[in-house]
Amino acid sequence: MSHPNWTAFLTLIRREVARILRIWGQTLVPPAITMTLYFLIFGSLIGSKIGGMSIDGVTLRYMDFIVPGLVMMAVIQNAYGNISSSFFGAKFGRHVEELLVAPLPNHVILAGYVGGAVLRGFMVGAIVLAVAMLFTEVRVHDWFATVSTVLLGAVIFSLAGFVNAVYAKSFDDISIIPTFVLTPLTYLGGVFYSVSLLPGWAEAATHANPVFYMVNGFRYGLLGVSDVPLWSAYAVMLGLTAALTWLALWLLQRGTGLRS
């Protein structure tokens, strides 16, 4: 980026971070409380009855097994929610027009909003992982896989949230996708179970779920085991990142939902 573009990018990032920290009671605390309840109910109470979960011949405590999925679930939900509400708020308040008439390339605008959403995802993910370490003995197995899968997962759902915000015409439109699409994808993405336990048709359907690859890539980073080869997880995530980036930039270029 040139110097003016870099300055604009950092300004957008600072604004998003200031927004996140200003309402930290709404953006950072609720995910920590929710995930603590998940660990207590699913991990401690139910997990003690289930015993262990086996992947590739490696048996894990159920509470350890669900940690990567719960952390990734918190990351993608918060990254998605941050950018969809922030960018739609800019549309609703009409100050997105100031960005569109400014001499800024569309990729800088997109990168600024996505960067802010990714930072919120990372902050929430770090909090949830810290909570998880109070209940489990999970420690990072592969730092590169851990950080890169969280980054790609947050970027993918930030871009998806941006697309949602572009098309949304009311605040109700912002809540439809998380309720009817994002929540089912996360719960059916191998967060609470290994795909090897499913019947054939359900296993095939799970492999069509992008969250499944993000969860398992992150599971490998934390625990060293995965239901899918690591290369396939990266292939899916990188492919989705490229496709959604192209779509978001194309929508900005056309001014879809922004110049009407």
Side-chain angles (χ1 to χ4, degrees), residues 88-98 258 260:
F88 181 76
K91 283 177 54 180
F92 186 78
R94 310 293 293 182
H95 58 267
V96 72
E97 297 170 358
E98 299 173 7
L258 304 176
S260 57

PDB file of all heavy atoms in Angstrom, residues 88-98 258 260:
ATOM      1  N   PHE A  88     -23.000  -2.322   8.184  1.00  0.00           N
ATOM      2  CA  PHE A  88     -24.385  -1.933   7.977  1.00  0.00           C
ATOM      3  C   PHE A  88     -24.692  -0.656   8.749  1.00  0.00           C
ATOM      4  O   PHE A  88     -25.467   0.184   8.290  1.00  0.00           O
ATOM      5  CB  PHE A  88     -25.354  -3.036   8.395  1.00  0.00           C
ATOM      6  CG  PHE A  88     -26.782  -2.654   8.157  1.00  0.00           C
ATOM      7  CD1 PHE A  88     -27.312  -2.677   6.879  1.00  0.00           C
ATOM      8  CD2 PHE A  88     -27.588  -2.226   9.207  1.00  0.00           C
ATOM      9  CE1 PHE A  88     -28.625  -2.290   6.643  1.00  0.00           C
ATOM     10  CE2 PHE A  88     -28.897  -1.838   8.979  1.00  0.00           C
ATOM     11  CZ  PHE A  88     -29.424  -1.873   7.691  1.00  0.00           C
ATOM     12  N   GLY A  89     -24.084  -0.513   9.944  1.00  0.00           N
ATOM     13  CA  GLY A  89     -24.261   0.725  10.693  1.00  0.00           C
ATOM     14  C   GLY A  89     -23.753   1.924   9.912  1.00  0.00           C
ATOM     15  O   GLY A  89     -24.353   3.005   9.955  1.00  0.00           O
ATOM     16  N   ALA A  90     -22.643   1.724   9.179  1.00  0.00           N
ATOM     17  CA  ALA A  90     -22.117   2.807   8.347  1.00  0.00           C
ATOM     18  C   ALA A  90     -23.084   3.129   7.203  1.00  0.00           C
ATOM     19  O   ALA A  90     -23.275   4.292   6.848  1.00  0.00           O
ATOM     20  CB  ALA A  90     -20.754   2.413   7.788  1.00  0.00           C
ATOM     21  N   LYS A  91     -23.716   2.089   6.641  1.00  0.00           N
ATOM     22  CA  LYS A  91     -24.731   2.317   5.607  1.00  0.00           C
ATOM     23  C   LYS A  91     -25.943   3.037   6.189  1.00  0.00           C
ATOM     24  O   LYS A  91     -26.445   4.013   5.616  1.00  0.00           O
ATOM     25  CB  LYS A  91     -25.184   0.977   5.014  1.00  0.00           C
ATOM     26  CG  LYS A  91     -24.245   0.338   4.038  1.00  0.00           C
ATOM     27  CD  LYS A  91     -24.776  -1.019   3.594  1.00  0.00           C
ATOM     28  CE  LYS A  91     -26.176  -0.952   3.045  1.00  0.00           C
ATOM     29  NZ  LYS A  91     -26.681  -2.284   2.613  1.00  0.00           N
ATOM     30  N   PHE A  92     -26.395   2.557   7.333  1.00  0.00           N
ATOM     31  CA  PHE A  92     -27.592   3.114   7.964  1.00  0.00           C
ATOM     32  C   PHE A  92     -27.365   4.577   8.361  1.00  0.00           C
ATOM     33  O   PHE A  92     -28.266   5.411   8.216  1.00  0.00           O
ATOM     34  CB  PHE A  92     -27.953   2.290   9.193  1.00  0.00           C
ATOM     35  CG  PHE A  92     -29.242   2.685   9.850  1.00  0.00           C
ATOM     36  CD1 PHE A  92     -30.458   2.287   9.323  1.00  0.00           C
ATOM     37  CD2 PHE A  92     -29.228   3.452  11.008  1.00  0.00           C
ATOM     38  CE1 PHE A  92     -31.651   2.655   9.936  1.00  0.00           C
ATOM     39  CE2 PHE A  92     -30.415   3.826  11.623  1.00  0.00           C
ATOM     40  CZ  PHE A  92     -31.628   3.426  11.084  1.00  0.00           C
ATOM     41  N   GLY A  93     -26.163   4.881   8.852  1.00  0.00           N
ATOM     42  CA  GLY A  93     -25.850   6.252   9.255  1.00  0.00           C
ATOM     43  C   GLY A  93     -25.421   7.142   8.118  1.00  0.00           C
ATOM     44  O   GLY A  93     -25.120   8.323   8.345  1.00  0.00           O
ATOM     45  N   ARG A  94     -25.337   6.574   6.916  1.00  0.00           N
ATOM     46  CA  ARG A  94     -24.990   7.292   5.685  1.00  0.00           C
ATOM     47  C   ARG A  94     -23.548   7.784   5.653  1.00  0.00           C
ATOM     48  O   ARG A  94     -23.174   8.503   4.724  1.00  0.00           O
ATOM     49  CB  ARG A  94     -25.918   8.502   5.473  1.00  0.00           C
ATOM     50  CG  ARG A  94     -27.396   8.220   5.583  1.00  0.00           C
ATOM     51  CD  ARG A  94     -27.907   7.347   4.473  1.00  0.00           C
ATOM     52  NE  ARG A  94     -27.867   7.986   3.177  1.00  0.00           N
ATOM     53  CZ  ARG A  94     -28.312   7.415   2.052  1.00  0.00           C
ATOM     54  NH1 ARG A  94     -28.811   6.176   2.103  1.00  0.00           N
ATOM     55  NH2 ARG A  94     -28.237   8.043   0.897  1.00  0.00           N
ATOM     56  N   HIS A  95     -22.706   7.409   6.641  1.00  0.00           N
ATOM     57  CA  HIS A  95     -21.326   7.871   6.548  1.00  0.00           C
ATOM     58  C   HIS A  95     -20.440   6.946   5.727  1.00  0.00           C
ATOM     59  O   HIS A  95     -19.266   7.235   5.533  1.00  0.00           O
ATOM     60  CB  HIS A  95     -20.722   8.098   7.948  1.00  0.00           C
ATOM     61  CG  HIS A  95     -20.719   6.911   8.842  1.00  0.00           C
ATOM     62  ND1 HIS A  95     -21.732   6.657   9.736  1.00  0.00           N
ATOM     63  CD2 HIS A  95     -19.830   5.906   8.996  1.00  0.00           C
ATOM     64  CE1 HIS A  95     -21.474   5.551  10.402  1.00  0.00           C
ATOM     65  NE2 HIS A  95     -20.326   5.071   9.972  1.00  0.00           N
ATOM     66  N   VAL A  96     -21.003   5.836   5.214  1.00  0.00           N
ATOM     67  CA  VAL A  96     -20.238   5.015   4.280  1.00  0.00           C
ATOM     68  C   VAL A  96     -20.005   5.792   2.981  1.00  0.00           C
ATOM     69  O   VAL A  96     -19.028   5.548   2.264  1.00  0.00           O
ATOM     70  CB  VAL A  96     -20.964   3.681   4.005  1.00  0.00           C
ATOM     71  CG1 VAL A  96     -22.203   3.884   3.147  1.00  0.00           C
ATOM     72  CG2 VAL A  96     -20.020   2.691   3.327  1.00  0.00           C
ATOM     73  N   GLU A  97     -20.880   6.748   2.689  1.00  0.00           N
ATOM     74  CA  GLU A  97     -20.730   7.541   1.472  1.00  0.00           C
ATOM     75  C   GLU A  97     -19.450   8.360   1.495  1.00  0.00           C
ATOM     76  O   GLU A  97     -18.850   8.618   0.445  1.00  0.00           O
ATOM     77  CB  GLU A  97     -21.945   8.454   1.305  1.00  0.00           C
ATOM     78  CG  GLU A  97     -23.249   7.682   1.131  1.00  0.00           C
ATOM     79  CD  GLU A  97     -24.473   8.561   1.212  1.00  0.00           C
ATOM     80  OE1 GLU A  97     -24.303   9.784   1.437  1.00  0.00           O
ATOM     81  OE2 GLU A  97     -25.599   8.035   1.054  1.00  0.00           O
ATOM     82  N   GLU A  98     -19.002   8.752   2.689  1.00  0.00           N
ATOM     83  CA  GLU A  98     -17.760   9.503   2.796  1.00  0.00           C
ATOM     84  C   GLU A  98     -16.564   8.642   2.369  1.00  0.00           C
ATOM     85  O   GLU A  98     -15.614   9.149   1.765  1.00  0.00           O
ATOM     86  CB  GLU A  98     -17.570  10.003   4.231  1.00  0.00           C
ATOM     87  CG  GLU A  98     -18.676  10.937   4.704  1.00  0.00           C
ATOM     88  CD  GLU A  98     -18.546  11.273   6.179  1.00  0.00           C
ATOM     89  OE1 GLU A  98     -17.535  10.885   6.790  1.00  0.00           O
ATOM     90  OE2 GLU A  98     -19.464  11.922   6.716  1.00  0.00           O
ATOM     91  N   LEU A 258     -25.217   0.264  -1.934  1.00  0.00           N
ATOM     92  CA  LEU A 258     -24.525   1.397  -1.321  1.00  0.00           C
ATOM     93  C   LEU A 258     -24.871   2.720  -1.977  1.00  0.00           C
ATOM     94  O   LEU A 258     -24.809   3.766  -1.338  1.00  0.00           O
ATOM     95  CB  LEU A 258     -22.999   1.198  -1.408  1.00  0.00           C
ATOM     96  CG  LEU A 258     -22.444  -0.097  -0.797  1.00  0.00           C
ATOM     97  CD1 LEU A 258     -20.957  -0.188  -1.055  1.00  0.00           C
ATOM     98  CD2 LEU A 258     -22.736  -0.116   0.695  1.00  0.00           C
ATOM     99  N   SER A 260     -27.766   3.294  -3.846  1.00  0.00           N
ATOM    100  CA  SER A 260     -29.191   3.401  -4.209  1.00  0.00           C
ATOM    101  C   SER A 260     -29.878   4.461  -3.363  1.00  0.00           C
ATOM    102  O   SER A 260     -29.390   4.822  -2.305  1.00  0.00           O
ATOM    103  CB  SER A 260     -29.876   2.057  -4.020  1.00  0.00           C
ATOM    104  OG  SER A 260     -29.724   1.598  -2.701  1.00  0.00           O
TER     105      SER A 260
END
